[in-house]
Amino acid sequence: MDRFRRLPLPALLPLLFVVLWSVWFAMGLLTGPGEFVPVERAIGAIAYATITTAGFGIMIAIRRRQAGGTKGAAAIQRAVRTGELPDDVDHVVWTRELESTRKRYRNNRVIVPIMVVVFAAFSVWAALTVSPFWWAILVLFMGMCAYSVWETRRALRNIDHLLATQRGTVIQ
């Protein structure tokens, strides 16, 4: 994953575009086989993937710039994942980025349960009215949300440890 995070934007964004296009096209194939028109779906998938890739590209570029570049952003994500602070860190940049990351993860504690309720209701409705395939999507989504809850708890614990390590007040 670190190699993927270190890719320059001109290499990362085309990969992201292809993945998003493929997912959107496949969703149309799986959820609406009766009215599936490949050319229309391909054009829609191009529009969706273009807009989403542009949005993600802007967000990634901003986060990398704030973290001191691609290597800095990847190092911060690795530290949040492992809970280990590298030796050669810029304390000002790292403190700012760790605080920002902690805020995003804290927001997950509120946003993820809301998303579960809304998307579960939508998926049940879609499964009953559109296609039974939506039951599989619901199971996949619930698994992703469960992982998100676990990852959020782990990341918040690691971020607190990293900030305490930076301050020199490690709590065991």
Side-chain angles (χ1 to χ4, degrees):
M1 190 66 156
D2 282 339
R3 285 186 7 198
F4 188 71
R5 285 190 177 119
R6 290 180 186 214
L7 284 175
L9 282 180
L12 177 64
L13 295 181
L15 288 173
L16 185 60
F17 177 86
V18 169
V19 168
L20 291 170
W21 184 90
S22 302
V23 167
W24 193 253
F25 188 81
M27 287 292 291
L29 179 65
L30 295 172
T31 60
E35 42 300 322
F36 184 73
V37 180
V39 173
E40 291 175 6
R41 191 62 183 188
I43 293 169
I46 287 171
Y48 165 77
T50 300
I51 292 167
T52 307
T53 300
F56 279 137
I58 292 167
M59 288 183 351
I60 291 167
I62 290 170
R63 296 251 342 257
R64 284 180 174 181
R65 190 173 305 118
Q66 290 174 342
T70 303
K71 289 182 182 177
I76 290 170
Q77 288 301 314
R78 186 178 332 99
V80 168
R81 188 179 66 247
T82 63
E84 297 174 9
L85 188 67
D87 295 331
D88 56 338
V89 299
D90 180 351
H91 291 288
V92 174
V93 171
W94 274 67
T95 301
R96 183 186 68 232
E97 287 304 303
L98 288 172
E99 291 288 346
S100 175
T101 303
R102 179 166 57 182
K103 182 179 177 183
R104 282 193 307 274
Y105 275 108
R106 282 185 176 164
N107 289 341
N108 279 357
R109 294 189 301 190
V110 174
I111 292 170
V112 170
I114 292 170
M115 282 181 10
V116 165
V117 170
V118 171
F119 193 79
F122 173 76
S123 292
V124 169
W125 170 81
L128 296 173
T129 60
V130 177
S131 167
F133 175 72
W134 281 94
W135 292 116
I137 293 174
L138 176 62
V139 169
L140 177 67
F141 183 75
M142 294 303 239
M144 289 169 43
C145 287
Y147 175 77
S148 177
V149 168
W150 174 79
E151 170 67 18
T152 297
R153 291 176 57 124
R154 182 179 65 113
L156 286 171
R157 184 179 58 245
N158 287 347
I159 290 169
D160 289 340
H161 176 73
L162 292 168
L163 288 169
T165 302
Q166 267 194 291
R167 293 183 192 113
T169 58
V170 178
I171 301 169
Q172 296 293 337

